[in-house]
Amino acid sequence: MTELDILRRHLEREKAARKEAEKIAELKTREIFYINRELVQLNDHLEEMVKGRTAELAKARDEAIEANMIKSQFLANMSHELRTPLNAIIGYSEMLEEEAEDMGEQVFVDDLQKINKAGKHLLALINDILDISKIEAGKMDLYLEACDVPELIQDVLTTVQPLVEANRNRIEVTYTDGEMHTDVTKLRQILFNLLSNASKFTKEGTIGLSVVREEREGQPGFAFSVTDTGIGMTPEQIDKLFLPFTQADSSTTRKYGGTGLGLTISQHFCTILGGKIEVDSVYDQGSTFTCWLPVHADGEDEPQEESPERPKDVLEGKATILVIDDEPANQQLIERYLGKEGWAVAVAGSGEEGLKLAKKLRPNVICLDILMPSMDGWSVLTELKNDPELSDIPVIILSLTNDKKMGYALGASEFMTKPIHREQLVAVLGKYIPKGSTNAVLVIEDDATTSSMMTKLLEKEGYTATQAGNGRIALKSVEKSVPKLILLDLMMPEMDGFQFVSELRKKEEWRTIPIVVVTAKTITAEDRARLNGYVKKIIQKGALDRAELLKEVSSLVADSLH
């Protein structure tokens, strides 16, 4: 074989190898193509799966939000349905108790006091449920103020003492002096819940309350410890202790009662105040609950001081007049006018700040703007009138409207809550209505028992009252005889309270009739906006007693006669 043949064969082999390589490369290319296509299809499928899952999660989130809203609405509606019969139970028991005392029937007095006490206890349970709904909805507000620890402890002990003695327990108390900057109402409720639980689960034992200064993570604070020698808890029971609507076990609920909300609410309050609740318990030996709270709940190192430009009296914690208005121009104008008269004037730029200053300064008069962001004047007025320490401070409503009738209506607005207590209702009517006035009060209430109770209460105090079962009937009644005052429920069939107010204000001659809304409905910001400028007072059943309500109504009617 020649060298030429050898070269030719070598070239043929290379050509064959090259063709084989090209064939293999083509197969690889096709394989890669199919793999890429499958990867693209798989990626598209995964994207569709992700989109579908995202849509499912978004739907689940929306359903959860809707369910929470439905639950909150349900609780609000149930508060109305439950408070309405409670209004009759508490109201009638107080009326009958007074009559029994006049007749010397002490046995009946004792029984009626038990009925009244049970009704108020049920009201407290309902309020617990409403607190939980506010917490879960993120609508629980804080009102921070200076708090003297010994004074707080004494207030709590006065309230809880009957519960301690009910099971023949004795209480031992030790505490240190000092001040805190916190939400006093919520701290008081935390301590009351812990002490009432200790009293309930302990019989013929010892309950201890101690308060000591304690620094945690470099932050100064106070540790409030409540100990008892009661039934104690197992580790399994402690694990579910702070779950809402849950007690240690079902037998505990049957034996001791309650909703299982007290500790849940206390834990939430403690958390939003920057603290923590801890529990240590030994079954059949007792429990210790410790609530630690920082000295300054708002996280500040020192309380903020008043502006140095304020008058000396304000700096010293005194003020003749407190102006609550979010407009700086209005603040300066009012402050200048009042300052010239020699009054010490304090100014708050928001409702929240106004409440803090009102508690701190205790002014003689409060000038309050209605239209403010975040917390409007209605809300501020509600808090002022529901605070026993501030409720007596006269409030002057500030309004930029030129409508005298609307300004007149705004000037008497405030909130009360069903069930209405007898003494408060008498006081309110006595203030606004001259006794014996002909056709003085129109009671618009669809619940027959509540309507009858309120009518009897009015007539017993010397007032003339007319009943109407809903807004339409009430309008016909007003056409026949214009009342001096209207007591109005909001939630009614056919024509509710909102529609009635709207229809009533369409006639010029009816626009000055004072309207007091008496409702068990939880009043929302939207509700206030719908009523703003048209009602004299919103009385939420349960907040004020009969005497005060009667006083207010009497004054309103007296004003309408001038």
Side-chain angles (χ1 to χ4, degrees):
M1 182 179 292
T2 64
E3 291 183 359
L4 184 61
D5 292 334
I6 294 172
L7 180 60
R8 186 182 293 115
R9 182 177 292 179
H10 181 70
L11 290 173
E12 287 176 352
R13 287 177 180 175
E14 285 186 351
K15 184 177 180 180
R18 187 166 54 250
K19 285 183 178 180
E20 185 66 25
E22 290 176 351
K23 186 177 180 180
I24 293 173
E26 184 179 355
L27 290 174
K28 291 291 184 182
T29 301
R30 288 183 180 179
E31 184 179 355
I32 292 172
F33 170 77
Y34 287 121
I35 291 174
N36 285 336
R37 187 172 69 177
E38 290 179 359
L39 287 173
V40 170
Q41 291 175 347
L42 179 59
N43 185 60
D44 291 341
H45 179 62
L46 289 173
E47 286 184 354
E48 289 298 323
M49 289 180 65
V50 170
K51 288 181 180 178
R53 185 58 176 162
T54 301
E56 290 177 3
L57 291 174
K59 182 180 179 182
R61 180 202 61 195
D62 293 341
E63 289 176 349
I65 293 174
E66 182 180 2
N68 191 53
M69 292 175 61
I70 291 173
K71 183 191 71 173
S72 296
Q73 185 61 44
F74 169 77
L75 290 174
N77 290 338
M78 284 306 297
S79 74
H80 172 270
E81 297 301 325
L82 293 171
R83 279 172 170 169
T84 295
L86 272 177
N87 185 50
I89 293 171
I90 295 175
Y92 271 115
S93 64
E94 289 178 344
M95 291 172 59
L96 291 173
E97 180 185 337
E98 185 179 81
E99 292 181 3
E101 286 178 345
D102 293 340
M103 297 169 60
E105 298 287 351
Q106 189 58 42
V107 175
F108 289 160
V109 171
D110 294 341
D111 289 343
L112 290 166
Q113 286 176 344
K114 293 175 183 176
I115 294 173
N116 187 268
K117 181 180 179 180
K120 291 179 178 178
H121 175 66
L122 182 55
L123 179 62
L125 298 180
I126 294 171
N127 289 336
D128 278 350
I129 294 174
L130 292 178
D131 276 345
I132 281 291
S133 68
K134 288 181 181 179
I135 290 170
E136 292 180 346
K139 296 181 178 179
M140 184 60 69
D141 298 320
L142 287 178
Y143 300 103
L144 305 178
E145 59 181 306
C147 166
D148 181 72
V149 173
E151 184 178 335
L152 170 70
I153 296 303
Q154 291 302 323
D155 288 344
V156 171
L157 291 176
T158 301
T159 305
V160 82
Q161 191 65 40
L163 297 177
V164 174
E165 296 174 351
N167 283 339
R168 297 184 295 279
N169 295 310
R170 62 189 182 89
I171 188 167
E172 298 176 350
V173 182
T174 59
Y175 55 84
T176 184
D177 291 336
E179 285 193 353
M180 302 177 65
H181 190 242
T182 190
D183 189 315
V184 180
T185 301
K186 290 179 176 56
L187 174 53
R188 186 184 290 116
Q189 187 168 345
I190 292 171
L191 296 178
F192 180 78
N193 286 342
L194 296 180
L195 286 166
S196 63
N197 271 357
S199 302
K200 182 166 62 174
F201 297 116
T202 304
K203 287 189 175 180
E204 298 180 354
T206 302
I207 295 169
L209 170 62
S210 69
V211 185
V212 297
R213 292 181 179 271
E214 183 177 319
E215 185 175 298
R216 295 192 180 185
E217 297 180 357
Q219 190 174 15
F222 286 90
F224 300 83
S225 296
V226 175
T227 61
D228 65 65
T229 56
I231 61 176
M233 291 174 287
T234 65
E236 293 76 16
Q237 292 172 333
I238 293 175
D239 288 340
K240 58 182 180 180
L241 189 62
F242 294 103
L243 297 177
F245 304 101
T246 303
Q247 288 190 336
D249 53 44
S250 58
S251 62
T252 303
T253 304
R254 289 193 300 270
K255 184 175 181 179
Y256 296 98
T259 60
L261 291 175
L263 288 177
T264 305
I265 292 171
S266 297
Q267 184 191 50
H268 280 289
F269 283 175
C270 191
T271 300
I272 61 178
L273 289 172
K276 183 179 181 181
I277 286 186
E278 300 166 335
V279 58
D280 181 30
S281 184
V282 178
Y283 183 74
D284 204 30
Q285 293 186 25
S287 304
T288 298
F289 286 83
T290 301
C291 167
W292 181 88
L293 291 175
V295 170
H296 303 294
D298 51 4
E300 296 177 355
D301 294 332
E302 297 293 338
Q304 293 184 354
E305 297 182 355
E306 297 293 331
S307 168
E309 297 179 358
R310 298 292 179 210
K312 180 180 179 182
D313 286 345
V314 176
L315 290 173
E316 294 176 350
K318 304 175 183 178
T320 307
I321 300 172
L322 170 61
V323 178
I324 307 176
D325 195 316
D326 64 307
E327 290 290 339
N330 291 341
Q331 296 174 6
Q332 295 172 8
L333 183 62
I334 298 171
E335 192 172 12
R336 182 180 302 173
Y337 285 160
L338 301 179
K340 287 183 178 179
E341 300 298 323
W343 289 316
V345 181
V347 178
S350 67
E352 294 86 348
E353 183 186 358
L355 288 171
K356 294 177 183 177
L357 286 178
K359 292 179 179 180
K360 180 179 181 180
L361 303 177
R362 305 295 171 83
N364 299 98
V365 176
I366 296 175
C367 295
L368 175 64
D369 185 23
I370 288 294
L371 302 177
M372 295 185 294
S374 177
M375 187 180 196
D376 64 13
W378 292 93
S379 301
V380 175
L381 199 46
T382 302
E383 297 296 331
L384 289 172
K385 294 305 178 183
N386 286 341
D387 189 329
E389 297 177 354
L390 305 177
S391 60
D392 292 335
I393 300 176
V395 178
I396 300 174
I397 300 298
L398 306 176
S399 175
L400 299 179
T401 177
N402 291 324
D403 189 334
K404 293 183 179 179
K405 295 182 178 64
M406 181 175 291
Y408 172 75
L410 289 172
S413 299
E414 65 178 87
F415 292 75
M416 299 169 69
T417 305
K418 289 181 181 177
I420 304 165
H421 302 299
R422 178 180 177 277
E423 291 78 10
Q424 292 172 327
L425 181 60
V426 171
V428 173
L429 288 175
K431 179 179 177 182
Y432 292 111
I433 304 178
K435 291 188 178 183
S437 299
T438 305
N439 203 26
V441 183
L442 172 60
V443 179
I444 309 176
E445 168 72 65
D446 66 303
D447 183 73
T449 305
T450 299
S451 179
S452 176
M453 184 272 292
M454 293 179 69
T455 301
K456 287 182 178 180
L457 179 59
L458 292 167
E459 291 176 345
K460 183 178 180 180
E461 296 300 322
Y463 304 106
T464 303
T466 304
Q467 299 181 55
N470 60 52
R472 295 190 187 282
I473 298 174
L475 287 174
K476 294 179 180 179
S477 176
V478 176
E479 288 179 353
K480 294 179 181 179
S481 179
V482 179
K484 300 297 186 298
L485 177 77
I486 295 174
L487 297 181
L488 173 67
D489 189 19
L490 288 181
M491 298 182 69
M492 297 180 295
E494 294 191 42
M495 178 183 284
D496 64 17
F498 297 104
Q499 294 172 310
F500 171 78
V501 170
S502 178
E503 292 296 320
L504 188 75
R505 296 312 181 191
K506 289 180 180 179
K507 288 195 176 184
E508 180 71 26
E509 60 271 25
W510 294 350
R511 290 184 181 177
T512 57
I513 302 175
I515 298 176
V516 176
V517 173
V518 182
T519 182
K521 181 183 186 299
T522 300
I523 301 298
T524 65
E526 290 77 13
D527 294 335
R528 293 190 188 106
R530 295 174 69 182
L531 297 170
N532 206 352
Y534 296 109
V535 303
K536 289 295 179 183
K537 185 184 291 292
I538 297 180
I539 307 170
Q540 287 187 309
K541 302 168 185 175
L544 296 180
D545 60 31
R546 189 190 75 167
E548 186 171 346
L549 177 60
L550 290 174
K551 183 179 179 182
E552 293 294 327
V553 173
S554 177
S555 176
L556 281 172
V557 172
D559 289 342
S560 69
L561 296 176
H562 295 303

